Every structure is written in C-alpha cells, then in structure tokens.
Amino acid sequence: MLSDALSDLPAPADESAAETGFARWRERADEADAKLGAFMRGLAADAAGHRLLGALFGNSPFLTHCCLAEPEFVERLLDEGLDP
C-alpha cells in the first residue's frame, strides 16, 4: 500500500499513545462510510501503513489529532502524493 520510502520511520516513542491512537483510528473507521472505513482498516492492517500510523500516533499528538480529525486527508495524501 505504501512506498518503501516510508520504511525508515521512527518507532513510537510512546507506546501507550500509539495504542490509544490505533484504538481511536479503529473507532473512526467504524463511524466512517464504507469506503473510508475500508481505507482506514486497510491502512492499519498493511505493514507499512501500520508503521506510518504508529510513528504518527506514538510521536506526535498534533499529527495524531490531524489524522483522526481528517482521515480523508490522509487517504488523499497517500493516493495522490504530496503537492509539489
């Protein structure tokens, strides 16, 4: 699902925050429409996606909040890439 360029992500500095982030991500996936929910569950299940989310959730409360508030933006970034 994700490029190998994301393989050098940092490990979560705060494992508890990462676990909480994943739990909240799953809750948001359950609340989302079918398409977005499938994306969110798929990203968390994918090895590279799991590393990405773990790095975000376990290292940055701000980015955790952004991902949980706007999972559609996360999907768009991963589908379309960064805007040059």
Side-chain angles (χ1 to χ4, degrees), residues 26-71:
R26 286 188 297 272
E27 289 171 6
R28 287 284 285 127
D30 290 343
E31 297 167 355
D33 64 46
K35 180 183 177 292
L36 182 60
F39 160 76
M40 294 174 74
R41 284 186 284 280
L43 182 62
D46 178 76
H50 195 271
R51 279 194 312 273
L52 173 63
L53 292 174
L56 294 172
F57 299 155
N59 293 306
S60 176
F62 174 74
L63 291 177
T64 296
H65 172 77
C66 292
C67 290
L68 294 171
E70 296 286 338

Side-chain angles (χ1 to χ4, degrees), residues 72-84:
E72 299 88 348
F73 181 67
V74 175
E75 180 181 31
R76 192 170 75 235
L77 277 177
L78 294 176
D79 284 347
E80 299 174 11
L82 299 174
D83 185 358

